[in-house]
């Protein structure tokens, strides 16, 4: 279970196009090397699909960034 706060709406450019997104700040606990040491953000499309198009997370060894590269129907 993850709780998230909607921070803002934003247009996000990705490898598969530009999306209207909601920027979420999740609240969750993860252990080990991927333990968040700072803010975490998730960009989801602002439509019925709510697809994740980007994730940014500060971790002990730097910043983890995940972005959508391909969408299959």
């Amino acid at each position: 279970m993850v709780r998230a706060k909607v921070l803002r709406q934003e247009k996000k450019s990705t490898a598969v196009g530009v999306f209207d997104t909601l920027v979420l700040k999740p609240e969750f606990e993860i252990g080990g090397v991927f333990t968040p040491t700072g803010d975490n953000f998730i960009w989801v499309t602002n439509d019925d699909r709510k697809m994740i198009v980007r994730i940014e997370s500060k971790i002990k060894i730097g910043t983890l960034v995940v972005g959508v590269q391909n969408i299959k129907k």
Side-chain angles (χ1 to χ4, degrees), residues 12-19 53 67-70:
K12 194 66 176 167
S13 180
T14 71
V16 295
V18 178
F19 296 93
V53 295
V68 66
Q69 297 296 312
N70 190 358

Side-chain angles (χ1 to χ4, degrees), residues 10-45:
E10 180 177 299
K11 283 203 181 284
K12 194 66 176 167
S13 180
T14 71
V16 295
V18 178
F19 296 93
D20 289 321
T21 65
L22 298 172
V23 181
L24 310 176
K25 185 172 182 180
E27 299 171 1
F28 54 91
E29 295 181 22
I30 299 176
V33 71
F34 295 108
T35 300
T37 59
D39 290 332
N40 302 291
F41 301 98
I42 300 173
W43 283 257
V44 298
T45 57

